[in-house]
Amino acid sequence: MPEIRSDKSHYQHLGNFFYIGGIIWLISSALLISFTEDWIDVHPFWLVLPGFIIFIVLLIKKILTTNEEFKCKECGQVIKESLKNSGASNEAIIFHCEHCDILWHVGETAG
């Protein structure tokens, strides 16, 4: 019988990246605008646009890498797909490490 463990932080990293990255972008944009408004005759939109584009590209990259694989916290083996479920609201997302015989509960389906 496989052991059941929880790693709900697997998908939490994406939310943390979104909030922390967004806050860093907002603060850096505000500082950039406030320090350059006196000596650069450019609309503030053009100053913050490159940072916003970089943030969006990094966010997309993080989304793609978060959803593609899960690593067993015990042995480090990559598990590419979760076990099949019905997709119903609040159903468990579970990865099975066959090497360790552990079922990893990483979260629930959105509903």
Side-chain angles (χ1 to χ4, degrees), residues 9-107:
S9 66
H10 179 66
Y11 290 112
Q12 186 177 18
H13 298 293
L14 182 61
N16 292 344
F17 179 83
F18 179 75
Y19 291 123
I20 293 170
I23 289 170
I24 291 171
W25 174 75
L26 284 173
I27 292 172
S28 63
S29 296
L31 291 173
L32 181 65
I33 289 170
S34 68
F35 287 128
T36 60
E37 67 185 347
D38 293 335
W39 55 275
I40 292 182
D41 191 25
V42 176
H43 192 277
F45 173 78
W46 297 111
L47 292 174
V48 299
L49 182 64
F52 181 71
I53 292 171
I54 291 169
F55 173 67
I56 294 299
V57 168
L58 292 175
L59 183 62
I60 290 170
K61 182 180 180 227
K62 184 73 172 173
I63 289 169
L64 295 175
T65 57
T66 298
N67 290 334
E68 73 182 23
E69 63 184 31
F70 172 78
K71 289 184 182 177
C72 177
K73 303 302 178 201
E74 194 68 26
C75 69
Q77 180 177 345
V78 174
I79 307 167
K80 294 191 186 245
E81 291 185 1
S82 64
L83 297 178
K84 301 291 181 210
N85 59 28
S86 69
S89 179
N90 296 325
E91 195 167 279
I93 300 172
I94 297 176
F95 289 89
H96 180 228
C97 178
E98 294 176 5
H99 180 261
C100 300
D101 200 25
I102 297 175
L103 295 173
W104 289 99
H105 178 234
V106 298

